[in-house]
Amino acid sequence: MAVLTGTGLAWSAKQGFDSGFTHSTALGEDAPRSGGGAVNILLIGLDTRKDLNGNDLPKQVLDQLHAGDGTEGGYNANSLILLHIPADVSKIVAFSIPRDDYVPVTGIPGYEHVKIKESYGLKKAAVQAKLIEQGEKDPVVLERRGREAGRASVVTTVRNLVGVPIDRFAEISLAGFYDLATAVGGVDVCLNHAVDDSEFSGAVFPAGRQHLDGAQALAFVRQRHGLLNGDLDRTHRQQAFLTSVAKSLEDSGALTDLSQLSALMDVAHRDVVLSDGWNLFDFARDLGAAGSVPVEFRTLPVVRYDVIDGQDVNIVDPAAIKREVRAAFGQSVPETTAARPVPTSIVDVHNVGAMKGQASALSDVLAGRGYPAGVIGNGDSSDGRYSTIIYGLGADDDAHALAELLGGLPVAASSSVEDGRIRVSLGADFTMPTEGSQTSSTTSAPTTTPGSMPLPDAGKPLSTTIGDTVPCVN
């Protein structure tokens, strides 16, 4: 965004910039969107040692990344940040999503819960395996179609967790972090404590303020070993990195230097994938017109650490996450189930993409919770990927309560629904609420090992203004 703000580039340069990106349709045409001019943007940092066509990165690049020989890693979405920009652009709120949050997933064979970072790579692998079974042999086709499926999977998983629409997304690779930091001439960071993680990330830095080159900046954002709060501290590193990049762009004059700007454009075109229809030039221009905008970085809450099937995971409360995100984004927070009156609206349930039998099963669950049962059927949507709720006159309160019960499904009034009725369409993203769930379809409690680790203090929200001094972090 900052690259183009206030540059006054000619129309031809604008066209060249926008047309040079790889675009993705992974959001889906019928996906819920924010209203009123607000925008929610998901930033995806992908931990892969391959380019967009599946080719290994050159050895000299891997050496700079301190990333082994290229066989390590996979397609984990190790960095996930959800930005909310309100219509009046008064303040940007950014939630970091810890990569080890243990969440429900849909559409990945053999998995019901995964670490959220894995929702990309597991879906990619499943789709590629199916394409190979069907006879597809072109490695570029396999890579591109697999990644599209991975993007759609991580977008859906994040949206189900946070309970708000995702309007746009941008994906950047591991190499992209390095290229970006190099293109802006390095970044300034501030560390509260000296670190030595030479064995893993390559981060070896003294305490205090310092300037890092591209390779050092990547080590800075990747380190988790040796930090008091592990991945939760690493999220603050990523937040500080974004602040520092914006400050470097402003201080270095890169926005008005054509050679530096050209290098930044090359990085963006090589390493960044944008959601379809996102005109980044116009978006940056409009955002730049708002002037200096304060930014509040936050991290989604974690209940505790645990070990499940031999993996270290973060146990989360999806209902609490939805409430916190909505409150931070200035949206209404539904009242608790205990305070709600007994529902009176009739609920029709249609299966448009969920597993067979889900509509009937959900209708039975809702009837047991006091919702009058209506019609059970199939069809009702042009896109079976997404679950939605629409309602007729007089069913407003019951519909919003039901949306919260089902994990924050998008809900809207519709003249096509009879008065006093609610129509629930179950897409492929739907997760059935557990019997004990009170507020969310994603609160199924995993089996945990004895001696679960208590959650240490992850620190307070990091507030700054883009262009201000880079904050100190662990």
Short mmCIF file of all heavy atoms in Angstrom, two decimals, residues 380-419:
data_model
loop_
_atom_site.label_atom_id
_atom_site.label_comp_id
_atom_site.label_asym_id
_atom_site.label_seq_id
_atom_site.Cartn_x
_atom_site.Cartn_y
_atom_site.Cartn_z
N ASP A 380 -30.51 -24.25 -3.15
CA ASP A 380 -30.78 -22.94 -2.55
C ASP A 380 -29.61 -21.98 -2.63
O ASP A 380 -29.61 -20.97 -1.98
CB ASP A 380 -31.21 -23.07 -1.08
CG ASP A 380 -31.90 -21.79 -0.60
OD1 ASP A 380 -32.66 -21.22 -1.37
OD2 ASP A 380 -31.66 -21.38 0.55
N SER A 381 -28.54 -22.31 -3.38
CA SER A 381 -27.42 -21.38 -3.49
C SER A 381 -26.65 -21.65 -4.78
O SER A 381 -26.58 -22.79 -5.24
CB SER A 381 -26.47 -21.54 -2.29
OG SER A 381 -25.32 -20.73 -2.46
N SER A 382 -26.08 -20.59 -5.36
CA SER A 382 -25.29 -20.75 -6.58
C SER A 382 -23.87 -21.22 -6.26
O SER A 382 -23.13 -21.61 -7.15
CB SER A 382 -25.22 -19.42 -7.34
OG SER A 382 -24.63 -18.41 -6.55
N ASP A 383 -23.48 -21.14 -5.00
CA ASP A 383 -22.13 -21.54 -4.60
C ASP A 383 -22.23 -22.37 -3.34
O ASP A 383 -22.60 -21.86 -2.28
CB ASP A 383 -21.25 -20.32 -4.36
CG ASP A 383 -19.78 -20.69 -4.21
OD1 ASP A 383 -19.50 -21.82 -3.79
OD2 ASP A 383 -18.93 -19.84 -4.51
N GLY A 384 -21.92 -23.67 -3.44
CA GLY A 384 -22.08 -24.55 -2.29
C GLY A 384 -20.96 -24.50 -1.30
O GLY A 384 -20.92 -25.31 -0.37
N ARG A 385 -20.01 -23.55 -1.44
CA ARG A 385 -18.89 -23.50 -0.50
C ARG A 385 -19.26 -22.81 0.79
O ARG A 385 -18.62 -23.05 1.82
CB ARG A 385 -17.70 -22.77 -1.15
CG ARG A 385 -16.97 -23.57 -2.20
CD ARG A 385 -15.80 -22.81 -2.76
NE ARG A 385 -16.23 -21.66 -3.56
CZ ARG A 385 -15.40 -20.77 -4.09
NH1 ARG A 385 -14.12 -20.87 -3.87
NH2 ARG A 385 -15.86 -19.79 -4.83
N TYR A 386 -20.26 -21.94 0.76
CA TYR A 386 -20.46 -21.05 1.90
C TYR A 386 -21.83 -21.24 2.56
O TYR A 386 -22.85 -21.40 1.88
CB TYR A 386 -20.30 -19.58 1.47
CG TYR A 386 -18.99 -19.32 0.81
CD1 TYR A 386 -18.92 -19.00 -0.55
CD2 TYR A 386 -17.80 -19.43 1.52
CE1 TYR A 386 -17.70 -18.79 -1.17
CE2 TYR A 386 -16.57 -19.23 0.89
CZ TYR A 386 -16.53 -18.90 -0.44
OH TYR A 386 -15.32 -18.69 -1.05
N SER A 387 -21.82 -21.20 3.88
CA SER A 387 -23.04 -21.28 4.67
C SER A 387 -23.56 -19.87 4.94
O SER A 387 -22.78 -18.96 5.21
CB SER A 387 -22.77 -21.99 5.99
OG SER A 387 -22.24 -23.28 5.78
N THR A 388 -24.88 -19.71 4.86
CA THR A 388 -25.49 -18.41 5.09
C THR A 388 -26.81 -18.55 5.82
O THR A 388 -27.39 -19.64 5.87
CB THR A 388 -25.75 -17.66 3.76
OG1 THR A 388 -26.63 -18.45 2.95
CG2 THR A 388 -24.46 -17.41 3.00
N ILE A 389 -27.27 -17.43 6.39
CA ILE A 389 -28.58 -17.38 7.02
C ILE A 389 -29.31 -16.15 6.49
O ILE A 389 -28.77 -15.04 6.50
CB ILE A 389 -28.46 -17.28 8.56
CG1 ILE A 389 -27.83 -18.55 9.13
CG2 ILE A 389 -29.82 -17.02 9.20
CD1 ILE A 389 -27.59 -18.50 10.64
N ILE A 390 -30.54 -16.34 6.02
CA ILE A 390 -31.39 -15.21 5.66
C ILE A 390 -32.72 -15.38 6.39
O ILE A 390 -33.10 -16.49 6.78
CB ILE A 390 -31.61 -15.11 4.14
CG1 ILE A 390 -32.16 -16.41 3.56
CG2 ILE A 390 -30.30 -14.73 3.44
CD1 ILE A 390 -32.44 -16.34 2.05
N TYR A 391 -33.43 -14.29 6.59
CA TYR A 391 -34.64 -14.35 7.40
C TYR A 391 -35.69 -13.37 6.90
O TYR A 391 -35.40 -12.39 6.20
CB TYR A 391 -34.32 -14.07 8.87
CG TYR A 391 -33.72 -12.71 9.12
CD1 TYR A 391 -34.54 -11.60 9.39
CD2 TYR A 391 -32.35 -12.51 9.11
CE1 TYR A 391 -33.99 -10.34 9.62
CE2 TYR A 391 -31.78 -11.27 9.33
CZ TYR A 391 -32.61 -10.19 9.59
OH TYR A 391 -32.06 -8.94 9.83
N GLY A 392 -36.93 -13.66 7.27
CA GLY A 392 -38.05 -12.81 6.91
C GLY A 392 -38.44 -11.85 8.02
O GLY A 392 -37.82 -11.82 9.10
N LEU A 393 -39.46 -11.08 7.76
CA LEU A 393 -39.93 -10.07 8.71
C LEU A 393 -40.28 -10.70 10.06
O LEU A 393 -40.93 -11.73 10.13
CB LEU A 393 -41.16 -9.36 8.13
CG LEU A 393 -41.68 -8.14 8.90
CD1 LEU A 393 -40.66 -7.01 8.87
CD2 LEU A 393 -43.02 -7.68 8.30
N GLY A 394 -39.80 -10.08 11.14
CA GLY A 394 -40.12 -10.55 12.48
C GLY A 394 -39.17 -11.59 13.03
O GLY A 394 -39.30 -11.99 14.20
N ALA A 395 -38.21 -12.04 12.23
CA ALA A 395 -37.29 -13.10 12.68
C ALA A 395 -35.89 -12.57 12.94
O ALA A 395 -34.95 -13.36 13.09
CB ALA A 395 -37.24 -14.22 11.64
N ASP A 396 -35.73 -11.27 13.01
CA ASP A 396 -34.42 -10.64 13.15
C ASP A 396 -33.64 -11.17 14.36
O ASP A 396 -32.51 -11.67 14.23
CB ASP A 396 -34.59 -9.11 13.25
CG ASP A 396 -33.26 -8.38 13.21
OD1 ASP A 396 -32.31 -8.83 13.84
OD2 ASP A 396 -33.19 -7.32 12.56
N ASP A 397 -34.23 -11.06 15.55
CA ASP A 397 -33.51 -11.45 16.76
C ASP A 397 -33.15 -12.93 16.76
O ASP A 397 -32.02 -13.32 17.10
CB ASP A 397 -34.35 -11.13 18.00
CG ASP A 397 -34.48 -9.63 18.24
OD1 ASP A 397 -33.66 -8.87 17.68
OD2 ASP A 397 -35.40 -9.22 18.96
N ASP A 398 -34.11 -13.78 16.37
CA ASP A 398 -33.84 -15.21 16.34
C ASP A 398 -32.75 -15.56 15.32
O ASP A 398 -31.90 -16.43 15.57
CB ASP A 398 -35.11 -15.99 16.00
CG ASP A 398 -36.11 -16.02 17.16
OD1 ASP A 398 -35.70 -15.68 18.29
OD2 ASP A 398 -37.27 -16.38 16.92
N ALA A 399 -32.76 -14.87 14.19
CA ALA A 399 -31.78 -15.16 13.14
C ALA A 399 -30.37 -14.81 13.60
O ALA A 399 -29.42 -15.56 13.37
CB ALA A 399 -32.14 -14.40 11.87
N HIS A 400 -30.21 -13.66 14.26
CA HIS A 400 -28.87 -13.26 14.72
C HIS A 400 -28.38 -14.16 15.86
O HIS A 400 -27.19 -14.47 15.95
CB HIS A 400 -28.88 -11.80 15.14
CG HIS A 400 -28.84 -10.84 13.98
ND1 HIS A 400 -29.98 -10.45 13.31
CD2 HIS A 400 -27.80 -10.25 13.33
CE1 HIS A 400 -29.65 -9.63 12.32
NE2 HIS A 400 -28.34 -9.50 12.30
N ALA A 401 -29.32 -14.58 16.71
CA ALA A 401 -28.94 -15.52 17.77
C ALA A 401 -28.50 -16.85 17.18
O ALA A 401 -27.52 -17.46 17.62
CB ALA A 401 -30.11 -15.72 18.74
N LEU A 402 -29.20 -17.29 16.13
CA LEU A 402 -28.86 -18.54 15.48
C LEU A 402 -27.51 -18.44 14.77
O LEU A 402 -26.70 -19.38 14.80
CB LEU A 402 -29.95 -18.91 14.47
CG LEU A 402 -29.76 -20.22 13.69
CD1 LEU A 402 -29.61 -21.41 14.64
CD2 LEU A 402 -30.92 -20.43 12.73
N ALA A 403 -27.25 -17.29 14.14
CA ALA A 403 -25.97 -17.09 13.48
C ALA A 403 -24.82 -17.21 14.46
O ALA A 403 -23.77 -17.80 14.16
CB ALA A 403 -25.94 -15.72 12.80
N GLU A 404 -24.99 -16.67 15.65
CA GLU A 404 -23.95 -16.78 16.68
C GLU A 404 -23.81 -18.22 17.15
O GLU A 404 -22.70 -18.71 17.35
CB GLU A 404 -24.30 -15.87 17.85
CG GLU A 404 -23.32 -15.93 19.02
CD GLU A 404 -21.97 -15.33 18.67
OE1 GLU A 404 -21.83 -14.73 17.59
OE2 GLU A 404 -21.04 -15.49 19.48
N LEU A 405 -24.91 -18.90 17.31
CA LEU A 405 -24.88 -20.30 17.73
C LEU A 405 -24.10 -21.17 16.75
O LEU A 405 -23.37 -22.08 17.14
CB LEU A 405 -26.31 -20.84 17.85
CG LEU A 405 -26.48 -22.34 18.13
CD1 LEU A 405 -25.97 -22.69 19.51
CD2 LEU A 405 -27.92 -22.76 17.95
N LEU A 406 -24.21 -20.83 15.47
CA LEU A 406 -23.55 -21.62 14.42
C LEU A 406 -22.19 -21.08 14.05
O LEU A 406 -21.70 -21.31 12.94
CB LEU A 406 -24.46 -21.70 13.19
CG LEU A 406 -25.82 -22.38 13.42
CD1 LEU A 406 -26.62 -22.45 12.14
CD2 LEU A 406 -25.65 -23.77 14.01
N GLY A 407 -21.57 -20.34 14.95
CA GLY A 407 -20.19 -19.93 14.74
C GLY A 407 -20.00 -18.66 13.97
O GLY A 407 -18.95 -18.45 13.37
N GLY A 408 -21.01 -17.77 13.97
CA GLY A 408 -20.84 -16.48 13.31
C GLY A 408 -21.12 -16.51 11.83
O GLY A 408 -20.44 -15.82 11.05
N LEU A 409 -22.11 -17.28 11.38
CA LEU A 409 -22.45 -17.31 9.97
C LEU A 409 -22.97 -15.94 9.52
O LEU A 409 -23.61 -15.23 10.29
CB LEU A 409 -23.53 -18.36 9.68
CG LEU A 409 -23.16 -19.82 9.91
CD1 LEU A 409 -24.30 -20.72 9.44
CD2 LEU A 409 -21.88 -20.19 9.18
N PRO A 410 -22.72 -15.56 8.26
CA PRO A 410 -23.27 -14.30 7.75
C PRO A 410 -24.79 -14.35 7.75
O PRO A 410 -25.39 -15.38 7.41
CB PRO A 410 -22.69 -14.20 6.34
CG PRO A 410 -22.29 -15.58 5.98
CD PRO A 410 -21.89 -16.25 7.27
N VAL A 411 -25.43 -13.27 8.13
CA VAL A 411 -26.89 -13.25 8.27
C VAL A 411 -27.43 -11.97 7.66
O VAL A 411 -26.83 -10.91 7.78
CB VAL A 411 -27.28 -13.38 9.76
CG1 VAL A 411 -26.65 -12.28 10.60
CG2 VAL A 411 -28.79 -13.40 9.94
N ALA A 412 -28.58 -12.07 6.98
CA ALA A 412 -29.17 -10.90 6.33
C ALA A 412 -30.66 -11.09 6.15
O ALA A 412 -31.15 -12.23 6.02
CB ALA A 412 -28.51 -10.65 4.96
N ALA A 413 -31.41 -9.98 6.15
CA ALA A 413 -32.84 -10.01 5.88
C ALA A 413 -33.06 -10.26 4.39
O ALA A 413 -32.25 -9.89 3.56
CB ALA A 413 -33.49 -8.70 6.29
N SER A 414 -34.18 -10.91 4.05
CA SER A 414 -34.48 -11.20 2.66
C SER A 414 -35.99 -11.25 2.44
O SER A 414 -36.71 -11.88 3.22
CB SER A 414 -33.85 -12.52 2.22
OG SER A 414 -34.25 -12.86 0.92
N SER A 415 -36.43 -10.57 1.38
CA SER A 415 -37.86 -10.59 1.05
C SER A 415 -38.30 -11.93 0.50
O SER A 415 -39.50 -12.20 0.37
CB SER A 415 -38.16 -9.48 0.03
OG SER A 415 -37.40 -9.68 -1.16
N SER A 416 -37.34 -12.80 0.14
CA SER A 416 -37.68 -14.12 -0.40
C SER A 416 -38.07 -15.12 0.69
O SER A 416 -38.52 -16.22 0.39
CB SER A 416 -36.49 -14.69 -1.19
OG SER A 416 -35.39 -14.97 -0.33
N VAL A 417 -37.89 -14.73 1.96
CA VAL A 417 -38.23 -15.61 3.08
C VAL A 417 -39.53 -15.12 3.72
O VAL A 417 -39.71 -13.92 3.95
CB VAL A 417 -37.10 -15.63 4.12
CG1 VAL A 417 -37.44 -16.57 5.28
CG2 VAL A 417 -35.79 -16.05 3.47
N GLU A 418 -40.41 -16.04 4.02
CA GLU A 418 -41.69 -15.69 4.62
C GLU A 418 -41.51 -15.05 6.00
O GLU A 418 -40.51 -15.28 6.68
CB GLU A 418 -42.56 -16.95 4.78
CG GLU A 418 -42.98 -17.60 3.47
CD GLU A 418 -43.82 -18.84 3.72
OE1 GLU A 418 -44.37 -18.97 4.84
OE2 GLU A 418 -43.91 -19.68 2.81
N ASP A 419 -42.49 -14.27 6.39
CA ASP A 419 -42.45 -13.64 7.71
C ASP A 419 -42.34 -14.71 8.79
O ASP A 419 -42.99 -15.76 8.73
CB ASP A 419 -43.74 -12.83 7.94
CG ASP A 419 -43.86 -11.64 7.00
OD1 ASP A 419 -42.92 -11.41 6.23
OD2 ASP A 419 -44.91 -10.96 7.03
#
